[in-house]
Amino acid sequence: MTPKPTIAEIVANDLCIGCGLCEALTGGRVKMAMTRRGSLRPTPVDEFTPAEEAQLVAACPGAVAEARVEAGCKSDPVWGAYRSMARAWAAHPDVRYEGATGGVLTALGMHALRTGRVDFVLHVGADPEQPMRSRWVMSKTPDSVRANTASRYGPTAPLAGLAAALDRGRPFALIAKPCDLGAVHSLSRTDPRVDELCTIRLALVCGGQSRLTKSTAVLDEFGLDETEVALFRYRGHGNPGATVVETRAGERFTKTYLDMWEDEAGWEVETRCKFCPDALGEAADVASADIWPGGAPTGEDEGFNGIIVRTEVGEELVASAVKAGELVVTDEITTRQFDDFQPHQVRKKEALAARYHGLADSGIAPIETRGLRITELGRRLNPERFEHERAGTRRRVERL
């Protein structure tokens, strides 16, 4: 058995994603701080009590990832356990327009509040003091959920607000990345309040979290300083929508989605994302994805999400939102259609077993996976490709 890594080792090996759980479980004694590389990291990393360290390592996305599987689900080697998959979008045209794709997660969060299923939604939005950056927020009204709509591609730490959410003692929804929801699921083993209170869990299917340096590069391109920024919108206001920067002086700058994201080498994605065993939201009640044939948009459209409903809670929430006229769900999507919509996810999932071998070769503990079929999918690679991925990981580790 490989020894469990410490939080300090996870951070040193760049497998930390900056989820914020360290801040939550230490009562804010350990803060999430921005590094010079543009990542959120717990600071300091060596002042946890033994009890805090044990609880954190048992849930940290840099150490463990686990699927949350209910009985009675269908199953797919790539996409995991699910009850249904379909095309969907927010029924309200403004929510649909403002959302990152079709506004599904926003619509579901708003509906959960309107129907009293939850008292508030824990999610992220732009920091009003530093609009290029993100902070966690508790939305108590549908209007607040909508005000924080659309993707935040830079570093986000939604779980920094988890302790405050649990301390309220009231049911809440969480909208976050798959790794964040995986951490919450693992934390439920040691904190029974999690399953009692975090009653709705919604995720985006994630292409990776960018470092802040991706955003600062955009400002450099426009000759701007971060202090000048009044708005930084990564996408939305159309599907996929442009990246928009507005200054306090009233200037406006834009980049198309493809200009911003077409060159994968320039995404500035966190290292942990390249080893992510669950970008598909397998610990969520509902996961929502882009559904562009071939994996990239060819232009703007009205906004369409692919939804993966994984649990009875998700099934009931979606049905209720449809009945209330807040969500539109149309034709079924098959798993192989999802393969075409998200081909990069399939490739990464198949490569992970080899990449984890490369980490182990370099003396780094790979992420422990449970129920995510990493070994099974790794058998799809031919020996040459497997060794290519394994060796590439060793080279990447040497550059850390």
Side-chain angles (χ1 to χ4, degrees):
M1 296 289 291
T2 304
K4 291 279 189 183
T6 64
I7 296 297
E9 288 170 338
I10 291 166
V11 172
N13 292 330
D14 212 21
L15 289 178
C16 174
I17 194 61
C19 68
L21 192 62
C22 290
E23 183 170 325
L25 296 191
T26 60
R29 188 182 73 254
V30 173
K31 297 287 188 184
M32 301 306 297
M34 190 70 68
T35 69
R36 286 183 291 180
R37 293 187 67 192
S39 300
L40 288 172
R41 295 291 183 262
T43 307
V45 295
D46 56 357
E47 292 188 8
F48 301 104
T49 68
E52 289 169 346
E53 182 90 33
Q55 189 177 32
L56 283 165
V57 170
C60 172
V64 64
E66 181 178 8
R68 185 166 63 117
V69 181
E70 285 188 347
C73 290
K74 305 169 190 175
S75 185
D76 180 78
V78 173
W79 295 91
Y82 67 98
R83 292 181 175 272
S84 64
M85 296 179 170
R87 188 181 304 262
W89 59 87
H92 193 293
D94 291 342
V95 175
R96 184 182 188 184
Y97 176 71
E98 293 164 6
T101 303
V104 162
L105 297 181
T106 302
L108 290 176
M110 295 170 72
H111 180 72
L113 283 169
R114 283 199 183 102
T115 55
R117 285 170 171 78
V118 297
D119 275 24
F120 61 94
V121 177
L122 175 61
H123 57 147
V124 299
D127 185 334
E129 301 294 325
Q130 298 173 294
M132 191 172 75
R133 307 188 187 208
S134 304
R135 53 59 170 128
W136 63 267
V137 61
M138 291 184 190
S139 289
K140 301 176 185 178
T141 67
D143 285 346
S144 178
V145 174
R146 180 176 164 187
N148 291 285
T149 193
S151 293
R152 302 294 301 172
Y153 276 93
T156 62
L159 300 190
L162 184 62
L166 292 170
D167 286 347
R168 286 176 176 260
R170 302 295 299 169
F172 67 95
L174 173 62
I175 304 176
K177 304 184 298 300
C179 54
D180 304 320
L181 293 189
V184 168
H185 176 47
S186 296
L187 182 66
S188 68
R189 295 179 183 275
T190 59
D191 189 339
R193 297 179 302 163
V194 172
D195 285 342
E196 177 188 350
L197 300 174
C198 187
T199 56
I200 294 175
R201 304 174 197 182
L202 307 175
L204 61 148
V205 169
C206 183
Q209 176 174 276
S210 298
R211 303 181 196 270
L212 192 67
T213 46
K214 174 64 176 176
S215 303
T216 55
V218 173
L219 297 188
D220 291 342
E221 183 178 336
F222 295 140
L224 298 173
D225 185 81
E226 187 179 354
T227 59
E228 300 177 74
V229 175
L231 177 145
F232 198 113
R233 187 170 66 235
Y234 290 86
R235 57 183 290 192
H237 288 237
N239 181 40
T243 296
V244 176
V245 181
E246 294 180 358
T247 70
R248 302 183 192 280
E251 298 173 291
R252 180 182 171 94
F253 303 86
T254 65
K255 287 175 71 76
T256 69
Y257 180 87
L258 287 179
D259 284 344
M260 182 77 170
W261 300 107
E262 190 168 34
D263 179 14
E264 188 171 350
W267 286 1
E268 295 288 332
V269 170
E270 296 271 10
T271 299
R272 194 265 178 199
C273 299
K274 298 167 185 175
F275 299 100
C276 179
D278 177 25
L280 310 179
E282 293 195 44
D285 295 306
V286 181
S288 181
D290 291 322
I291 48 172
W292 298 313
T298 56
E300 294 287 325
D301 61 40
E302 296 172 282
F304 303 92
N305 288 104
I307 59 171
I308 307 168
V309 181
R310 299 195 181 276
T311 66
E312 288 186 15
V313 167
E315 202 167 47
E316 191 277 333
L317 180 66
V318 167
S320 176
V322 170
K323 185 176 181 180
E326 296 184 56
L327 191 71
V328 176
V329 177
T330 60
D331 49 304
E332 178 186 354
I333 297 175
T334 69
T335 53
R336 301 293 72 82
Q337 285 176 308
F338 257 117
D339 287 352
D340 179 55
F341 296 147
Q342 298 273 337
H344 54 291
Q345 301 287 10
V346 179
R347 291 193 296 269
K348 181 168 69 174
K349 201 97 170 181
E350 292 172 343
L352 282 179
R355 294 178 184 181
Y356 285 5
H357 275 279
L359 286 176
D361 292 343
S362 302
I364 294 174
I367 298 168
E368 179 186 346
T369 63
R370 303 170 188 151
L372 292 167
R373 310 162 306 283
I374 300 307
T375 300
E376 175 186 352
L377 289 165
R379 296 192 186 104
R380 295 184 179 185
L381 297 190
N382 63 45
E384 182 180 0
R385 181 65 183 172
F386 190 98
E387 185 50 41
H388 174 80
E389 292 285 351
R390 185 174 183 171
T393 296
R394 291 195 296 266
R395 289 193 298 272
R396 185 178 292 121
V397 168
E398 289 170 2
R399 294 195 294 267
L400 287 178

